[in-house]
Amino acid sequence: MLPKSRFVCFVLIGFLLGGFSHPTLANVDIQELIDHAKAGETVKIPSGTYRESITIDKAIKVIGEGEVRIISDGENPALTIKNRGASVQDVIVENTRSEFAVFVTGSNHLLQNITVKTAKIGVRLNEASKIVVKEVKVEGLPGAQKVGNGIDLFQAKENIIENNTVSGIRDGIYVESSGANKITGNTVSNSRYGLHFMYTQDNIVRGNTFTNSHTGSMIMVSYNELYENNYLLENRKNVNSQGLYLYDVHDSMFRDNHINDNRIGIMIDNSFTNTISRNEFKGNALGIIFKQSTDNNITKNDFKINVTTILTYGDNSKNNNLINNYWDNQTGVDANGDHFSDLEVVADPYFMEITDKNSAFQLLFQSPGMVLMEKLFKSAEENLVKDSSPVMVPNIQEDGRTELNMGIMLISILFILSSLSIYLMGRKKWQ
């Protein structure tokens, strides 16, 4: 056994060597490195933990070496980027008090391979353009699910939000008063809304996955949006949960999406002149609901293994064009062999009309008595929503990414019935 004095010496030497191999904020000041760098230069930050707020206001590249952790526990963001042409890569940013962990203005910046841990908003693009946010991971600290957003765009345009991961926060990707952005390949889970649009136009949303949240995507007061090839899966945290909710949306395209295993597949509310085409609605408690919405084209979608396929209420939802959709619960007859049913698929708003007058009738949903009443007392012909030419076989090939959970789906329908009165009274919960 080593003498006590020699043992202490070995421990002291090991501690000192360990200290030199992992620099701390006592050795390096990041802001000082940035201030001394000239435009076009690269600043390499040594591995370590830095408790400071830094600002980049010139066209330099900042790269972390090893594990670089920048922690702000004050009122300023941990990282602020201004002006034009800055790049930040390979760092961890933590924010516990400031409204933003990363605050970006200006144009032509790059954020790549950054982990952001925030109690409020992770990354804010504020009046920013042509910014690339790529391979960024945003994690909500305790409390973030009530007040924070993961990646937040305000009055921002022509930005690329690509291959990022967001979880444990209020709205995963929030876009307000912004346009012409490309949101592609992102994954958002465990949030209120995976994607939330407010007052937006001309954006592209493609190839994202929104799962296990209150609502997969909430699109509100938006125009000319392209929303395609996204996966909205298992969004059923609340009795009002939807895969996709459209409110006051116009002239937009929603195509080739997989909207599966949610409480409600799609809610179309006060929305007009949109095209909803070649989407798969599978395993939802309710497939599609129309509310006060007209002049939408609902074409070539597949509705499969939903507990209830279609509901509509209000005579203002009668003028939608439904054609060539596949309804697995239809009674189809193809006498001439053209692969289209000779029988229409009809959604009668009768049930919704009587529950609007007396919400207690919700308890009779799909009961034998209610089914009989719907047959005896049909709504006026002009109020019916019809697919005049449904297809006999699915439009879309099976996709292996999703699984149907029948038990959860059946439980979901019970929760939805208890909440239909909220929809009928026109109340919405945005929290």
Side-chain angles (χ1 to χ4, degrees):
M1 188 171 183
L2 290 173
K4 184 176 181 181
S5 59
R6 292 179 63 188
F7 175 77
V8 172
C9 289
F10 279 121
V11 172
L12 181 58
I13 291 171
F15 174 78
L16 291 174
L17 290 175
F20 286 125
S21 63
H22 299 283
T24 65
L25 66 145
N27 299 318
V28 177
D29 186 289
I30 300 176
Q31 189 64 59
E32 186 175 349
L33 294 176
I34 291 170
D35 291 343
H36 283 88
K38 297 179 181 180
E41 292 185 345
T42 297
V43 175
K44 295 183 178 180
I45 305 175
S47 177
T49 299
Y50 302 85
R51 292 189 176 274
E52 58 179 300
S53 299
I54 65 174
T55 299
I56 303 171
D57 58 3
K58 63 186 100 173
I60 61 173
K61 180 182 291 186
V62 176
I63 300 177
E65 294 186 314
E67 183 176 292
V68 173
R69 190 180 298 270
I70 303 170
I71 301 175
S72 170
D73 53 10
E75 298 299 325
N76 296 319
L79 173 61
T80 300
I81 303 174
K82 301 179 179 180
N83 298 332
R84 180 182 176 89
S87 173
V88 180
Q89 301 176 52
D90 306 328
V91 299
I92 300 170
V93 175
E94 295 187 21
N95 164 60
T96 58
R97 292 181 58 193
S98 174
E99 185 175 0
F100 313 105
V102 179
F103 186 83
V104 182
T105 63
S107 66
N108 298 92
H109 305 304
L110 168 66
L111 282 71
Q112 184 172 11
N113 194 29
I114 298 174
T115 296
V116 179
K117 299 182 179 181
T118 183
K120 295 185 179 179
I121 293 175
V123 178
R124 160 64 77 86
L125 306 189
N126 195 81
E127 298 182 355
S129 64
K130 299 181 179 178
I131 311 298
V132 176
V133 180
K134 184 176 182 179
E135 298 165 6
V136 170
K137 182 178 182 181
V138 182
E139 301 174 0
L141 296 173
Q145 283 191 318
K146 295 182 178 180
V147 298
N149 298 323
I151 299 173
D152 186 306
L153 281 65
F154 179 73
Q155 294 184 0
K157 62 181 182 180
E158 300 179 13
N159 302 289
I160 296 175
I161 312 299
E162 182 178 32
N163 295 340
N164 304 291
T165 302
V166 183
S167 64
I169 208 155
R170 184 178 62 174
D171 292 350
I173 300 174
Y174 178 81
V175 183
E176 181 179 351
S177 303
S178 301
N181 299 288
K182 293 182 179 180
I183 300 171
T184 62
N186 303 283
T187 299
V188 182
S189 62
N190 194 28
S191 300
R192 181 184 69 160
Y193 304 147
L195 175 73
H196 190 184
F197 276 11
M198 289 280 292
Y199 310 107
T200 64
Q201 61 184 14
D202 304 321
N203 298 286
I204 295 173
V205 181
R206 179 183 294 130
N208 304 280
T209 298
F210 303 111
T211 184
N212 194 31
S213 296
H214 177 299
T215 293
S217 293
M218 172 71 77
I219 313 296
M220 303 177 65
V221 199
S222 297
Y223 301 82
N224 197 38
E225 309 286 15
L226 175 58
Y227 188 101
E228 64 180 1
N229 297 114
N230 300 289
Y231 288 79
L232 300 99
L233 311 175
E234 301 180 355
N235 296 289
R236 50 192 181 219
K237 281 183 170 291
N238 187 282
V239 294
N240 302 314
S241 289
Q242 306 90 12
L244 179 60
Y245 196 126
L246 309 182
Y247 179 78
D248 198 6
V249 178
H250 305 260
D251 303 317
S252 297
M253 170 69 77
F254 300 86
R255 66 188 180 198
D256 300 309
N257 302 289
H258 295 267
I259 305 176
N260 301 344
D261 299 335
N262 308 283
R263 290 220 169 114
I264 299 172
I266 182 171
M267 178 80 170
I268 305 172
D269 188 353
N270 284 276
S271 295
F272 311 93
T273 61
N274 302 289
T275 296
I276 299 168
S277 178
R278 291 191 56 81
N279 302 285
E280 179 186 62
F281 298 90
K282 179 180 176 183
N284 305 287
L286 289 168
I288 182 170
I289 298 180
F290 293 94
K291 181 178 181 181
Q292 310 295 335
S293 297
T294 63
D295 301 314
N296 297 288
N297 292 308
I298 317 297
T299 65
K300 298 183 179 179
N301 302 282
D302 286 355
F303 294 87
K304 297 182 288 188
I305 328 179
N306 302 288
V307 174
T308 297
T309 302
I310 180 170
L311 286 179
T312 177
Y313 48 93
D315 58 8
N316 291 327
S317 291
K318 61 189 178 184
N319 292 324
N320 295 289
N321 177 37
L322 280 73
I323 190 169
N324 299 162
N325 300 286
Y326 174 76
W327 313 85
D328 68 349
N329 63 342
Q330 70 185 356
T331 303
V333 175
D334 182 13
N336 60 7
D338 63 357
H339 305 297
F340 297 97
S341 176
D342 302 325
L343 302 178
E344 298 176 326
V345 171
V346 179
D348 191 336
Y350 175 78
F351 171 77
M352 307 304 289
E353 290 173 354
I354 66 169
T355 53
D356 194 21
K357 297 175 182 177
N358 188 340
S359 60
F361 280 108
Q362 293 174 43
L363 297 175
L364 300 178
F365 183 63
Q366 287 194 326
S367 68
M370 181 58 69
V371 172
L372 177 62
M373 291 176 65
E374 288 177 338
K375 292 181 178 179
L376 293 175
F377 304 102
K378 283 187 174 295
S379 301
E381 184 71 18
E382 62 271 16
N383 291 338
L384 301 178
V385 175
K386 302 178 181 180
D387 187 332
S388 58
S389 185
V391 297
M392 296 294 294
V393 297
N395 294 291
I396 305 163
Q397 296 295 320
E398 287 289 334
D399 187 284
R401 286 186 53 178
T402 62
E403 296 180 357
L404 177 65
N405 188 325
M406 288 294 296
I408 296 177
M409 183 179 70
L410 293 173
I411 293 172
S412 295
I413 190 68
L414 299 177
F415 281 105
I416 289 174
L417 295 179
S418 67
S419 66
L420 279 174
S421 59
I422 297 175
Y423 286 121
L424 296 173
M425 291 186 291
R427 296 172 55 192
K428 300 179 178 64
K429 297 181 180 179
W430 308 124
Q431 59 184 5

